[in-house]
Amino acid sequence: MSKVDMNLLKHLSEAFGVSGRERQVREVILSEIRSSCDEIKVDNIGNIIAKKHGKNNKNILIMASMDEPGFIISGYKEGGGAFLSFEPVGIIRPQSIVSESVVVGDKMIPGIISLKAVHLSTKEEREKLVCLKDLFIDIGADNKQAAEREILIGDFAGFKSKYTELGEYGVSNKAIGQRACCAVLAALLKADYDCSITCVFTVQKQVGLRGAKLSFGSDDEFDEAITLDTIEEEQYKLGSGCFIPCLINSTCHDRSIAIKLMSMKDNLNIENKDNDIKCEIIAKKIDDGDITSVNIKGKGILTAELDIPVKNKNTSSEIVDKRDIDAAYQIISKYLES
């Protein structure tokens, strides 16, 4: 039975957590880990730094991000009602968000991302790719004044979707990839290891890795670090395990940590009817993640990244596989035990 709590993952994925507005996610995590840690603090930007002391002098950092992509309200449009203009927070593909449900502002007002009606569009408009400037959020306001009473420019909006089980192993929701990483860290904090571990749940990854850059100071000393992240499911099939990227835009992984992580796959206890669970180094270039900020902190930290495959990344319907989540937990746990 997996040590990663799927009910926790459900609550994490349903919590609102657009970059800069991660409070709901933070509250779920704090409630889950508070009794498992020796020290917990929340810094000024909103990162959670949770420490569990071990028996020896070794101190290992493990990191995952809490935030998700979303939108920020930038203005109002009128015409048959009043609608909200918006800009993206993080990387979002316009074609994937048409007709999606969202919640807006501190009041969590429901809305729908909308596009000019097809029967009112010209042939050229129907055939061109959708751009963000073509989209707006409809909250059912009759006029601009009604919209202004409910929503302010600068308010945040995020996807509203439900946690869904897909087949025997699949689970889907917004942000479920990154929240799976957070659930793994929460499970690691409940176990006991000879080494000390510091689990950092970071904010604002989507807008420049800001949380990771500020998550600990130069006085904090770590022997090694592992950042847990996600990778787009392309040739990396869901249910096939975890991957260690060696080509990251602005940094390099530590080879010894990567090889040691890879060796942990040999004794995993995971139900898998179809595939061999992998933990392998891949030579695919990926965008910067928290690892970019971690390995240059202080005097420098030896760091590697472990990735869980995710399908439909940065949409309202991300999909991950329970076996990959369990593999990530077991690989890191065995690494800490070693």
Side-chain angles (χ1 to χ4, degrees), residues 163-183:
Y163 178 91
T164 305
E165 300 267 354
L166 298 173
E168 193 171 357
Y169 300 112
V171 285
S172 175
N173 202 357
K174 67 173 184 63
I176 202 164
Q178 290 300 150
R179 304 290 159 74
C181 297
C182 292

Side-chain angles (χ1 to χ4, degrees), residues 272-325:
N272 193 335
K273 296 178 180 177
D274 304 315
N275 310 311
D276 291 328
I277 290 290
K278 300 180 179 68
C279 178
E280 60 185 33
I281 297 171
I282 56 171
K284 176 184 176 178
K285 190 169 185 179
I286 65 169
D287 292 334
D288 291 338
D290 284 344
I291 184 175
T292 308
S293 301
V294 171
N295 69 353
I296 57 172
K297 293 286 282 187
K299 299 175 183 177
I301 306 171
L302 301 177
T303 311
E305 178 176 303
L306 185 68
D307 287 349
I308 297 172
V310 60
K311 188 181 288 185
N312 305 330
K313 191 171 182 177
N314 285 17
T315 72
S316 65
S317 303
E318 291 187 357
I319 305 171
V320 292
D321 191 293
K322 295 176 186 177
R323 294 167 294 184
D324 299 332
I325 299 169

Side-chain angles (χ1 to χ4, degrees), residues 170-219:
V171 285
S172 175
N173 202 357
K174 67 173 184 63
I176 202 164
Q178 290 300 150
R179 304 290 159 74
C181 297
C182 292
V184 168
L185 265 62
L188 291 168
L189 284 166
K190 292 183 178 182
D192 294 315
Y193 304 101
D194 287 340
C195 64
S196 296
I197 62 172
T198 298
C199 289
V200 178
F201 303 81
T202 64
V203 297
Q204 300 188 37
K205 176 189 173 188
Q206 295 286 334
V207 289
L209 312 174
R210 294 178 183 177
K213 292 174 181 176
L214 299 171
S215 57
F216 53 91
S218 57
D219 293 335

Side-chain angles (χ1 to χ4, degrees), residues 223-269:
D223 298 283
E224 299 167 0
I226 299 168
T227 60
L228 187 57
D229 213 321
T230 61
I231 190 168
E232 292 273 11
E233 188 265 4
E234 292 173 353
Q235 64 266 44
Y236 313 114
K237 182 181 176 183
L238 296 185
S240 60
C242 300
F243 299 89
I244 305 164
C246 62
L247 296 174
I248 302 171
N249 277 344
S250 301
T251 193
C252 296
H253 71 221
D254 180 77
R255 190 70 173 170
S256 62
I257 297 177
I259 291 173
K260 189 175 177 182
L261 281 170
M262 191 169 61
S263 71
M264 297 296 119
K265 69 181 179 182
D266 296 334
N267 298 306
L268 301 184
N269 180 24

Side-chain angles (χ1 to χ4, degrees), residues 27 33 54 82 104-105 113 135-136 172 177 185 241 250 270 294 313 330:
E27 288 176 352
I33 68 172
V104 189
I113 297 177
L135 302 175
F136 52 88
S172 175
L185 265 62
S250 301
I270 297 172
V294 171
K313 191 171 182 177
Q330 290 193 40

